[in-house]
């Protein structure tokens, strides 16, 4: 809301117009709970503020905790750097993970600095990342594969150019428009890793029957190729979770033949189709239903020894349904997903739950 009042000025031929502006809420808090087929629970919590201290700056804090993986990310963004349509941001992040067998531990930490330019609906960003990763395998491990990081610290120094365009009519519940993005990463500005990594993603939304239904299409494809040495474990792709609903977060792809743990792949693709609507649901509740089908695969590794499915490009296919609604504490979503085509070594996760709010 905007209100004003007029006051006399000390100068006879001037008046003061006092404007009082009340902003919309600019902060969000998000919470999530995930249940896996292995009876593991993941807790997620995030805080985001788009107008920190009233200066228009953005700050964020995200943390994810589970039996196998703990991670956090702290960051800030100035969206109008030097009073120009430039954004500058930085992030500090850390991740500690352990496989389900408990015999391999991985750690990764780093910093990122980015400069972005927005022109109408197009956004371009150049980001520099510097991070270290290390894998430790216990003496009692049954793992047969090689990560390329055993007992050594791998330093990665990389530049990423991101180009994206967003025409969606709503960030949380879009009915029309699209989001496309292309990321191209070059590593080798110092450090130990040298590679080229490219990822393309898209989300498209079509209103049907005058907006009563929304058809959503989501796709992605990515590849990483070494320029010198081999691609190590921490730089490979993982697939599952929200991308392949019905599988564990890293539920598909090449696995170690000894301890059945995910090793990741150098290539991936995915495609999803979803129909969303509030038809036939109780009026004025904000309750929506959705049905979906996901397809995708991840494959390829430079260390093939002791790995099953390293060259398996066979698509994994799932279907499912879900419910979402706007509650007094924010958007809530429940998803049930079921694989119809998978490999014997893939891991399922049939239920996902998340809830968030705005303050």
């Amino acid at each position: 809301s905007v209100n004003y009042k007029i006051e006399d000025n000390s100068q006879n031929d001037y008046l003061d117009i006092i404007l009082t502006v009340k902003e919309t809420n600019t902060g969000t808090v998000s919470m999530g709970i995930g249940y896996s087929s292995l009876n593991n629970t993941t807790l997620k919590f995030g805080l985001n503020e788009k107008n920190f201290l009233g200066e228009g700056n953005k700050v964020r804090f995200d943390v994810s905790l589970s039996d196998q993986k703990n991670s956090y990310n702290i960051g800030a963004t100035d969206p109008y750097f030097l009073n120009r349509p430039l954004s500058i941001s930085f992030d500090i992040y850390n991740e500690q993970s352990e496989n389900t067998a408990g015999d391999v531990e991985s750690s990764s930490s780093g910093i990122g600095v980015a400069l972005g330019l927005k022109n109408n609906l197009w956004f371009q960003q150049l980001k520099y990342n510097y991070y270290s990763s290390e894998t430790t395998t216990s003496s009692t491990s049954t793992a047969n594969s090689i990560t390329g990081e055993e007992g050594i610290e791998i330093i990665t120094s990389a530049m990423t150019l991101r180009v994206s365009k967003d025409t969606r009519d709503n960030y949380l519940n879009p009915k029309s428009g699209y989001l496309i993005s292309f990321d191209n990463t070059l590593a080798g500005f110092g450090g130990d890793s040298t590679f080229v990594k490219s990822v393309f993603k898209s989300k498209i939304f079509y209103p049907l029957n005058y907006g009563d239904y929304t058809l959503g299409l989501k796709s992605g494809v990515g590849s990483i190729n070494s320029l010198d040495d081999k691609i190590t474990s921490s730089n490979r792709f993982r697939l599952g979770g929200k991308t392949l609903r019905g599988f564990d977060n890293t539920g598909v792809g090449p696995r170690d033949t000894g301890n059945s743990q995910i090793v990741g792949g150098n290539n991936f693709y995915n495609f999803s189709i979803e129909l969303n609507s509030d038809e036939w649901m109780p009026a004025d509740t904000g309750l929506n239903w959705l049905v979906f089908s996901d397809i995708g695969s991840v494959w390829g590794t430079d260390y093939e020894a002791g790995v099953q499915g390293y060259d398996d490009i066979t698509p994994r296919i799932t279907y499912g349904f879900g419910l979402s609604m706007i509650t007094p504490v924010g958007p809530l979503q429940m998803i049930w997903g079921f694989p119809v085509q998978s490999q014997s070594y893939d891991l399922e996760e049939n239920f996902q739950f998340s809830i968030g709010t705005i303050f």
Side-chain angles (χ1 to χ4, degrees):
S1 63
V2 179
N3 296 301
Y4 74 93
K5 62 180 180 180
I6 299 176
E7 296 180 349
D8 289 333
N9 191 281
S10 57
Q11 304 180 49
N12 294 332
D13 53 348
Y14 283 90
L15 294 173
D16 289 334
I17 302 177
I18 310 300
L19 298 175
T20 303
V21 179
K22 182 179 180 180
E23 287 191 338
T24 186
N25 294 326
T26 58
T28 62
V29 56
S30 60
M31 296 169 286
I33 302 175
Y35 304 95
S36 76
S37 58
L38 300 179
N39 297 319
N40 296 321
T41 301
T42 300
L43 302 176
K44 296 183 178 181
F45 178 77
L47 287 172
N48 289 270
E49 171 57 57
K50 296 186 293 183
N51 189 22
F52 185 63
L53 299 179
E55 298 290 334
N57 297 322
K58 303 176 182 179
V59 296
R60 52 195 172 274
F61 172 72
D62 297 287
V63 61
S64 177
L65 304 174
S66 70
D67 292 338
Q68 273 73 47
K69 182 178 179 180
N70 298 322
S71 63
Y72 72 80
N73 182 20
I74 301 173
T77 300
D78 182 348
Y80 208 69
F81 184 57
L82 298 178
N83 293 323
R84 298 177 182 275
L86 297 172
S87 64
I88 188 169
S89 62
F90 78 90
D91 292 274
I92 301 174
Y93 47 90
N94 178 268
E95 180 178 298
Q96 304 286 335
S97 63
E98 180 183 74
N99 63 9
T100 55
D103 57 0
V104 179
E105 296 183 355
S106 300
S107 63
S108 179
S109 60
I111 60 172
V113 180
L115 186 66
L117 172 64
K118 189 171 185 179
N119 183 15
N120 295 324
L121 299 175
W122 286 96
F123 179 71
Q124 300 179 64
Q125 183 186 70
L126 185 63
K127 186 172 185 178
Y128 173 73
N129 279 300
Y130 182 92
Y131 59 92
S132 64
S133 55
E134 184 175 357
T135 300
T136 303
T137 303
S138 71
S139 59
T140 59
S141 174
T142 59
N144 294 326
S145 65
I146 299 174
T147 67
E149 301 175 359
E150 283 86 1
I152 59 175
E153 183 181 24
I154 303 294
I155 302 295
T156 301
S157 176
M159 296 289 292
T160 299
L161 176 62
R162 177 182 177 87
V163 180
S164 63
K165 186 177 183 180
D166 191 353
T167 68
R168 293 173 298 175
D169 60 345
N170 186 281
Y171 176 77
L172 292 176
N173 189 27
K175 302 292 185 181
S176 64
Y178 61 85
L179 170 63
I180 58 173
S181 65
F182 177 72
D183 293 66
N184 201 44
T185 300
L186 176 62
F189 299 92
D192 306 305
S193 301
T194 56
F195 59 78
V196 174
K197 187 176 187 178
S198 301
V199 178
F200 174 81
K201 294 182 179 181
S202 69
K203 296 180 181 180
I204 305 173
F205 302 92
Y206 296 98
L208 303 176
N209 195 34
Y210 302 101
D212 291 337
Y213 304 88
T214 301
L215 178 66
L217 304 173
K218 180 175 65 174
S219 64
V221 61
S223 178
I224 181 171
N225 296 280
S226 176
L227 297 177
D228 184 15
D229 205 351
K230 297 180 178 181
I231 301 298
T232 60
S233 176
S234 62
N235 290 315
R236 300 178 197 143
F237 297 107
R238 272 74 174 172
L239 200 62
K242 293 183 178 181
T243 305
L244 274 177
R245 291 163 287 188
F247 288 104
D248 183 82
N249 191 46
T250 56
V252 303
R255 290 191 177 274
D256 189 288
T257 58
N259 59 9
S260 300
Q261 300 302 302
I262 192 74
V263 301
N266 293 354
N267 312 281
F268 85 92
Y269 68 84
N270 69 276
F271 177 79
S272 300
I273 182 169
E274 179 180 302
L275 186 66
N276 185 307
S277 177
D278 60 0
E279 291 290 292
W280 309 303
M281 306 306 291
D284 301 323
T285 63
L287 190 63
N288 282 34
W289 56 262
L290 61 95
V291 292
F292 65 86
S293 180
D294 299 336
I295 182 174
S297 185
V298 57
W299 74 98
T301 173
D302 293 339
Y303 299 91
E304 299 176 358
V307 178
Q308 57 183 335
Y310 64 84
D311 60 350
D312 185 7
I313 196 174
T314 303
R316 275 64 161 181
I317 303 174
T318 71
Y319 76 95
F321 60 90
L323 294 172
S324 64
M325 68 178 298
I326 304 299
T327 72
V329 294
L332 177 149
Q333 188 175 69
M334 294 178 289
I335 297 292
W336 289 265
F338 309 96
V340 295
Q341 181 167 305
S342 62
Q343 298 294 348
S344 59
Y345 48 83
D346 294 333
L347 300 179
E348 296 185 13
E349 180 178 284
N350 301 121
F351 178 69
Q352 296 177 7
F353 168 83
S354 64
I355 187 170
T357 189
I358 297 176
F359 65 89

